[in-house]
Amino acid sequence: MSYSPIEPYETGKLKVSDIHTLYYEVSGNKDGNPVVFLHGGPGGGVSGKDRLYFDPKAYKIVLFDQRGAGKSTPSACLEENTTWDLVADIERLREHLGVDKWVVFGGSWGSTLSLAYAQTHPERVKALILRGIFTLRKSELEFFYQNGASHIFPESWDDYLAPIPEDERHDLMTAYHKRLTSDDEAVRLEAAKAWSTWEMSTCMLRVDQEAVARAAQDTWAIAFARIESHYFVNGGFMRDGQLLEKQSIDKIRHIPTVVVQGRYDVVCPARSAYDLKKAFPESELIIVPDAGHSAREVPTGKLLTEAADKFKNL
């Protein structure tokens, strides 16, 4: 279940630093309950489909492309691009739009950023709707990019390994980062397509060929892979496990929170959602028995829409 497609009534560009300018859009009800959608990746960008979880009669729906992603400029730029830069950008956008408090919705990397933002600015968050929990711990990254998901999707894993020589495969994230920041455009592009295809090939219970095809698009793949790799080799610019620490969770215990997690999510396995629930028992955790990672899977999308409906009159 989702709402019918709508178009934004406002689009704009917001300069957030000497380097970066963000694309944003607003749709739905101008006087509605504000909700901000935080996209995944990092580097994934937003699409029109991201508006469809929200009742347009009830919500003022805010979407934006994070630094270097989507229509934000400069594309794929890694300079001045950290978790805390993005947290500050969300505040700049909130102030620019004249929003006091809003519902925050994010999946995958969007859940990381949602937690980081809420823990930094809890007074600005009415509710959290999270999906595919990712806390950027080393163990989570190693499961997907070094040894774990490789046992479930071995044929796709071979394609992911292909650009990396045998003697560098003991540390694939570092090997990819080296290529994604290479001065050679052909080297960057080969690595970007292989990195992006690996994630798109594994994000659903049933492989979505449309998503896999998108990974072959040069501009999207470069931004997605470069920015992801940049964040991941830097541990998300935070302490390992920081978002799950008691001192961090204590700041958001009062915020109504729904977590939707696919049982067979291999990109962001259910362990992280479970660990969040143990640290944050006040939250509601819904395990989807027949879903992987993607928000586009029908049962997951339905539950996310229901969660948004639950908070639409806050």
Side-chain angles (χ1 to χ4, degrees):
M1 184 189 86
S2 65
Y3 288 94
S4 299
I6 53 170
E7 292 302 315
Y9 63 77
E10 177 185 347
T11 62
K13 296 290 182 77
L14 180 65
K15 189 170 179 60
V16 292
S17 80
D18 290 341
I19 297 171
H20 292 276
T21 299
L22 305 186
Y23 165 82
Y24 71 88
E25 62 171 58
V26 191
S27 57
N29 182 346
K30 290 182 182 181
D31 300 315
N33 183 19
V35 60
V36 62
F37 178 96
L38 304 182
H39 68 67
V46 296
S47 82
K49 292 179 181 177
D50 299 326
R51 306 174 197 130
L52 306 185
Y53 303 105
F54 312 106
D55 181 348
K57 293 179 180 177
Y59 275 113
K60 177 177 185 173
I61 306 160
V62 180
L63 273 59
F64 75 99
D65 289 324
Q66 296 157 28
R67 295 189 182 202
K71 297 176 185 175
S72 291
T73 56
S75 179
C77 178
L78 307 182
E79 198 175 344
E80 293 182 9
N81 198 340
T82 73
T83 303
W84 309 110
D85 291 320
L86 302 190
V87 165
D89 289 348
I90 299 168
E91 271 298 273
R92 290 187 186 97
L93 182 59
R94 183 190 62 76
E95 291 169 357
H96 177 72
L97 295 174
V99 169
D100 180 41
K101 298 175 70 172
W102 47 11
V103 176
V104 178
F105 181 114
S108 194
W109 160 256
S111 77
T112 320
L113 187 56
S114 295
L115 289 167
Y117 174 74
Q119 291 170 5
T120 307
H121 300 284
E123 73 284 358
R124 297 302 178 187
V125 181
K126 290 184 174 187
L128 287 165
I129 303 169
L130 308 176
R131 186 265 314 161
I133 296 299
F134 179 38
T135 66
L136 237 151
R137 291 174 294 181
K138 187 177 180 182
S139 60
E140 297 170 51
L141 292 167
E142 288 186 344
F143 178 87
F144 190 63
Y145 291 109
Q146 190 66 43
N147 184 23
S150 53
H151 295 264
I152 302 167
F153 291 92
E155 69 280 26
S156 298
W157 182 254
D158 275 355
D159 294 334
Y160 170 69
L161 288 179
I164 309 301
E166 290 274 359
D167 62 355
E168 293 184 61
R169 291 181 181 177
H170 63 285
D171 186 352
L172 289 162
M173 281 192 294
T174 298
Y176 261 100
H177 184 257
K178 177 175 142 185
R179 286 158 179 78
L180 289 164
T181 54
S182 167
D183 292 333
D184 187 325
E185 184 180 0
V187 170
R188 290 199 307 270
L189 190 56
E190 180 192 27
K193 288 183 176 182
W195 174 284
S196 302
T197 298
W198 165 239
E199 186 161 339
M200 293 304 105
S201 298
T202 54
C203 68
M204 283 189 163
L205 200 55
R206 297 180 184 276
V207 178
D208 178 0
Q209 294 303 333
E210 184 181 321
V212 174
R214 184 167 50 141
Q217 296 171 5
D218 294 8
T219 303
W220 187 86
I222 285 283
F224 184 71
R226 272 173 57 86
I227 297 171
E228 279 201 336
S229 173
H230 166 68
Y231 274 72
F232 298 167
V233 298
N234 285 291
F237 306 94
M238 64 182 102
R239 296 183 300 278
D240 195 68
Q242 177 175 331
L243 298 175
L244 295 172
E245 291 171 359
K246 183 178 184 298
Q247 63 185 358
S248 302
I249 297 294
D250 282 348
K251 296 172 183 173
I252 62 170
R253 289 192 193 281
H254 64 287
I255 299 174
T257 300
V258 173
V259 176
V260 178
Q261 174 71 44
R263 169 64 72 193
Y264 299 106
D265 185 340
V266 302
V267 182
C268 298
R271 161 58 63 187
S272 298
Y274 186 64
D275 287 348
L276 176 62
K277 174 65 176 175
K278 288 198 294 183
F280 185 12
E282 299 86 350
S283 64
E284 179 184 0
L285 172 60
I286 305 169
I287 298 284
V288 190
D290 53 348
H293 179 65
S294 175
R296 305 267 191 260
E297 292 177 288
V298 172
T300 302
K302 180 175 182 291
L303 287 163
L304 290 170
T305 303
E306 289 173 358
D309 283 346
K310 178 177 177 179
F311 297 133
K312 68 183 180 182
N313 295 315
L314 273 184

